[in-house]
Amino acid sequence: MRDFHMALPDYAPTPLTELPALAAELGVGRVFVKDESSRLGLPAFKALGASWAVQRVLDDRAASSAAPGPVTLVTATDGNHGRAVARMARLLGQQAHVFVPQGVHPAAVAAIAAEKAEVTEVSGSYDEAVRLAAETAAAPDAVLVQDTAWPGYEQIPGWIVEGYSTLCAEIDEQLTAEGVVEGPDLVAVPVGVGSLAQAVLTHYRSRPCGHAPALLSVEPEAAPCVLESLTRGEPVSVTTGETTMAGLNCGTPSSIAWPYLHGGLDAAVAIDDADSARAAGDLAAFGVSSGPCGAATLAGLRAALTGTGTEERRSELGLGSDSVVVLLSTEGTAANPHSTTDH
């Protein structure tokens, strides 16, 4: 996957920015932010998964047909995944049809349409948009390229997760360059359906030996499907509310992500919009462009490491005054005024 991404015209590793002021605030040794505000020409990490999955889809079609015709790539999105699929379709001479749920900011819809995609706005939730996209993709010469999975639809979401591995490989190289040879002690990941978290868990939990970081998932209080599922010990759907963290406003964990989340996460937290907004403002002051979804990881880490029970939580996460923490900031403020990154 890394070789594939490196061959793309706009590829460059995104910055890993150290923020000593946050390390001092949180009582750890070093804090780094993986800044995904510009990834393959788009303002979020989603292009990594979409590009790899779309290429795999087209390769499979070419191998299974003597003369494969154009295909319509269908997806549902809160913003950046749909835009990434539409961008790949346009670059590769294919069509795209993108379903967006109620509440997606008009700027995000316009950005998808600007990629020459057909856009259908749904008067319902993200889960409803996914259902309608799946129905539409059942037509001939159409393929669903969705970043969440359910029984019977898991191969393409798996390819999307694979594409995200490039982000983790970059972090390893960048930390080594900063003198952090053993890797981070904690990684904080924003979570919607859990696909990015699955990629991070796969990366750090598949090592045969060596240092394994603690992993913290962060969700909006309006859509805590992973936190609720972890509490119950089985995947459940929740009714979502309104949140500025629109791309994390997902009601059901991905079926392929759930076993990784259940077996691999060390902690999970849900935060409110005000804390996310404060975190975004603080990151901006440090020179990191981060939308509400991306800044959620800082807000979540603050919730975990401050307040009542702090010492117990720090001990359970294995954090001390010399620990290294990595926050994944998955989108920039340019994504749109209301965050649009479905994870």
Side-chain angles (χ1 to χ4, degrees):
M1 283 74 72
R2 181 74 182 282
D3 290 343
F4 167 79
H5 288 130
M6 290 177 68
L8 296 177
D10 292 327
Y11 174 78
T14 55
L16 186 71
T17 303
E18 183 169 9
L19 299 178
L22 286 183
E25 173 194 335
L26 297 168
V28 295
R30 304 177 76 176
V31 172
F32 295 89
V33 178
K34 183 61 168 168
D35 178 0
E36 292 290 308
S37 60
S38 180
R39 171 66 80 174
L40 293 172
L42 294 174
F45 79 107
K46 302 299 289 192
L48 290 173
S51 60
W52 175 247
V54 168
Q55 189 63 57
R56 290 296 304 270
V57 166
L58 297 181
D59 287 347
D60 272 15
R61 283 176 59 84
S64 61
S65 174
V71 63
T72 298
L73 306 172
V74 184
T75 194
T77 186
D78 279 316
N80 284 316
H81 170 70
R83 186 178 176 187
V85 170
R87 170 70 62 87
M88 287 301 298
R90 179 173 63 81
L91 292 176
L92 297 173
Q94 309 297 325
Q95 302 297 314
H97 187 174
V98 181
F99 289 76
V100 295
Q102 187 175 18
V104 173
H105 196 276
V109 178
I112 296 168
E115 302 290 348
K116 309 302 181 184
E118 178 183 355
V119 178
T120 297
E121 298 186 59
V122 177
S123 59
S125 67
Y126 171 78
D127 287 8
E128 175 67 6
V130 170
R131 185 185 68 80
L132 293 173
E135 289 181 357
T136 300
D141 296 322
V143 177
L144 184 68
V145 184
Q146 196 58 57
D147 55 347
T148 188
W150 53 88
Y153 180 74
E154 295 180 330
Q155 183 179 56
I156 292 174
W159 290 339
I160 290 172
V161 171
E162 287 178 355
Y164 297 154
S165 66
T166 290
L167 185 154
C168 299
E170 290 177 0
I171 290 174
D172 287 347
E173 293 176 358
Q174 291 166 323
L175 285 178
T176 299
E178 293 287 344
V180 183
V181 178
E182 293 188 350
D185 298 295
L186 181 142
V187 179
V189 189
V191 170
V193 301
S195 296
L196 175 60
Q198 179 186 349
V200 174
L201 285 159
T202 299
H203 181 78
Y204 286 110
R205 297 294 186 246
S206 63
R207 297 179 174 184
C209 59
H211 182 69
L215 297 172
L216 168 70
S217 71
V218 185
E219 298 171 281
E221 289 181 347
C225 67
V226 169
L227 183 57
E228 184 65 24
S229 296
L230 292 169
T231 301
R232 298 193 189 185
E234 61 182 3
V236 298
S237 297
V238 301
T239 301
T240 58
E242 295 184 3
T243 174
T244 55
M245 292 172 277
L248 306 182
N249 197 14
C250 305
T252 306
S254 169
S255 66
I256 59 172
W258 168 248
Y260 293 86
L261 303 173
H262 187 233
L265 286 173
D266 296 282
V269 65
I271 59 168
D272 63 27
D273 287 356
D275 287 337
S276 174
R278 176 195 165 206
D282 290 343
L283 289 172
F286 293 130
V288 177
S289 172
S290 184
C293 288
T297 50
L298 173 54
L301 190 63
R302 282 170 165 164
L305 300 187
T306 61
T308 305
T310 297
E311 292 308 314
E312 180 182 359
R313 292 194 294 273
R314 291 174 70 93
S315 176
E316 289 176 348
L317 291 171
L319 296 181
S321 59
D322 60 348
S323 296
V324 176
V325 174
V326 172
L327 306 177
L328 303 188
S329 177
T330 48
E331 63 172 5
T333 53
N336 75 60
H338 296 165
S339 168
T340 58
T341 310
D342 21 288
H343 307 336

